[in-house]
Amino acid sequence: MDNITSIFDTCPLYLYNPLDITLLGFYYPTYNRKKNCKVYKPITQLVDGYVLLSNNASNHTCHARCIFPKKDRGYLGTLWVKVPSVDRLECDIVETECIKEDILESFLHTQIFEQKSLPKTLEYLQETMGGVQMEFLNKVGDNSRPNGFPLAFGTPKVAQVWPTTLAHETLKDLYHADVQFLEFFQRNRAIIERSFFFFMGDHGPRRDGIGNIRLGQYENLNPFLMVIIPAAYRSTPMHLQLKQKVLQLMTNFDIHATLMDILKLEPPSEFRNTSYRSMEPLSKGSSLFREWRGPRNCRTLPIPSQYCICQYDWTNVDNQTVQLELGEFFAEQLNLQLTNGGVMEKCQRQFYNRISSMRQLYDRDELLYDVVVYLSPSNGLFSVGDF
């Protein structure tokens, strides 16, 4: 404690109730938009890599092919083969097409191919597969792309599935997928038991108005993370290190460091070495499977102040005179930045319009402000607050 010179050298963390009364309006455990839909039965089946015809495939002519990703948004398809397939399709995604009387039906099958909010799912992962939920993963960017870069950049030999649309725009559509996730993990248990598995989000929910309440804003900053390690390494020092970090602050940089540890550093020791090790130059983070050193806060990791989940004793600025002074000062400083940057002649001069939020915090003898205001004539929402 003697080395603490600022409140920001600490990081108070609290576990909030996900069913807090302010969040209940965004909780839809029984909602299923597909409740009245007829269950579609594919004409084809994927069994152990082979594509077979289902019982309802009478008089259909079917073909199948592998689909491989091409960068972020594209894909490559292999040559079509007849179904039933003679050879195994050695890929994670298999597309099938079946034609009958000029009617075309397509389907995407998924598998795990190896070269030699979900209560049921989470309970299964924790109770059956030893999953460890890390409570304080802190996002480091606004949306998916900046949070994905520190996680996966430079990590080969990693399979990734990123279902971006399931709960991105609304939380309602997540709940009905619980059974599908559970069945996926049960079906692939043997493979996952031999794998390092990260079940996570890149950021929390922020649509449907949840971002307008305080705990909803916190949820956005604190995405879900559960880590499953191979069965052979459970109840070992590696597993213990993971469990000890459940309530510690971490970021995707730490997950990246863990992936690099798995791929490059741990194999020679057969995953028994849990001693501290700097991960540079491989990674900027710290492996979840090793001892950590030094303070962990939003300054040291680092996490941009606007995304920091450390819970400091901020209080609202209610004095309207102070609000006006801070708002006008903010606008003046923005205009000064534009002038110093040589772009003022291309921009309109901004003036304080109204407050969105203003908070203050005492850091020893200093009074700090976090300011979010609307400026005119842009009517833009601007914020400043740093440590």
Side-chain angles (χ1 to χ4, degrees), residues 84-148:
S85 60
V86 177
D87 299 318
R88 292 186 69 195
L89 278 77
E90 299 180 343
C91 53
D92 292 331
I93 301 175
V94 176
E95 180 183 15
T96 61
E97 286 189 351
C98 295
I99 300 177
K100 178 182 179 181
E101 298 177 355
D102 296 327
I103 297 177
L104 174 66
E105 293 194 38
S106 299
F107 194 80
L108 290 177
H109 297 277
T110 60
Q111 63 181 351
I112 296 180
F113 171 72
E114 287 190 313
Q115 293 179 335
K116 299 243 158 202
S117 280
L118 305 169
K120 297 177 183 177
T121 302
L122 301 186
E123 180 182 8
Y124 179 80
L125 294 179
Q126 290 176 313
E127 300 299 328
T128 305
M129 305 189 70
V132 180
Q133 183 171 339
M134 318 307 287
E135 298 288 355
F136 295 117
L137 176 65
N138 200 141
K139 78 172 192 176
V140 294
D142 180 48
N143 54 19
S144 299
R145 189 177 294 269
N147 285 295

Side-chain angles (χ1 to χ4, degrees), residues 114-248:
E114 287 190 313
Q115 293 179 335
K116 299 243 158 202
S117 280
L118 305 169
K120 297 177 183 177
T121 302
L122 301 186
E123 180 182 8
Y124 179 80
L125 294 179
Q126 290 176 313
E127 300 299 328
T128 305
M129 305 189 70
V132 180
Q133 183 171 339
M134 318 307 287
E135 298 288 355
F136 295 117
L137 176 65
N138 200 141
K139 78 172 192 176
V140 294
D142 180 48
N143 54 19
S144 299
R145 189 177 294 269
N147 285 295
F149 279 147
L151 169 63
F153 184 75
T155 54
K157 303 179 184 177
V158 175
Q160 182 183 62
V161 178
W162 199 331
T164 56
T165 60
L166 178 61
H168 193 274
E169 300 301 318
T170 176
L171 287 173
K172 291 182 179 180
D173 294 338
L174 177 63
Y175 297 90
H176 80 276
D178 189 13
V179 174
Q180 283 77 22
F181 275 118
L182 175 61
E183 291 175 350
F184 169 83
F185 286 113
Q186 290 173 332
R187 187 170 62 250
N188 294 285
R189 178 178 177 180
I191 295 173
I192 297 173
E193 293 277 29
R194 304 193 303 272
S195 308
F196 290 93
F197 200 99
F198 296 78
F199 189 38
M200 60 181 294
D202 57 337
H203 59 76
R206 53 182 186 173
R207 299 284 196 267
D208 276 353
I210 194 171
N212 296 328
I213 61 176
R214 184 178 64 87
L215 285 183
Q217 296 164 5
Y218 180 88
E219 283 284 303
N220 175 34
L221 304 176
N222 182 208
F224 176 81
L225 170 62
M226 180 177 289
V227 181
I228 303 168
I229 68 174
Y233 304 133
R234 294 171 197 165
S235 301
T236 66
M238 169 189 284
H239 204 194
L240 178 61
Q241 283 294 326
L242 183 65
K243 290 181 177 180
Q244 288 176 345
K245 296 174 175 62
V246 165
L247 298 179
Q248 296 198 44

Side-chain angles (χ1 to χ4, degrees), residues 284-382:
K284 295 181 179 180
S286 301
S287 172
L288 300 178
F289 301 146
R290 294 179 178 270
E291 297 175 4
W292 283 353
R293 289 184 183 175
R296 297 185 66 83
N297 53 61
C298 292
R299 278 180 169 176
T300 60
L301 289 190
I303 298 167
S305 60
Q306 65 267 37
Y307 305 130
C308 183
I309 63 173
C310 299
Q311 298 299 297
Y312 303 112
D313 292 327
W314 291 94
T315 58
N316 291 329
V317 177
D318 297 321
N319 187 303
Q320 294 184 358
T321 301
V322 176
Q323 291 177 0
L324 178 61
E325 291 177 351
L326 288 174
E328 291 180 342
F329 178 77
F330 186 114
E332 291 173 2
Q333 292 301 307
L334 175 61
N335 292 324
L336 181 61
Q337 290 289 327
L338 295 174
T339 300
N340 292 339
V343 296
M344 192 62 198
E345 66 276 6
K346 300 179 181 179
C347 303
Q348 287 183 300
R349 186 174 182 83
Q350 297 297 303
F351 299 91
Y352 171 64
N353 183 318
R354 66 189 187 278
I355 180 179
S356 174
S357 68
M358 286 189 185
R359 304 183 301 167
Q360 63 183 21
L361 173 70
Y362 280 97
D363 183 15
R364 298 292 176 102
D365 297 329
E366 294 184 303
L367 179 59
L368 308 178
Y369 292 99
D370 181 85
V371 177
V372 184
V373 294
Y374 289 93
L375 301 182
S376 294
S378 67
N379 199 35
L381 184 64
F382 297 83

Side-chain angles (χ1 to χ4, degrees), residues 29-85:
T30 61
Y31 178 83
N32 183 357
R33 65 175 180 174
K34 298 182 179 181
K35 180 174 58 176
N36 298 319
C37 296
K38 180 180 178 181
V39 177
Y40 173 74
K41 295 182 179 180
I43 298 173
T44 54
Q45 298 178 352
L46 182 62
V47 180
D48 195 27
Y50 294 92
V51 181
L52 309 177
L53 293 174
S54 302
N55 294 332
N56 59 335
S58 176
N59 298 323
H60 283 83
T61 300
C62 300
H63 295 82
R65 66 174 179 173
C66 281
I67 297 293
F68 295 98
K70 181 182 179 182
K71 296 185 177 180
D72 285 346
R73 300 180 182 274
Y75 67 89
L76 296 174
T78 62
L79 295 177
W80 293 96
V81 298
K82 290 184 178 181
V83 174
S85 60

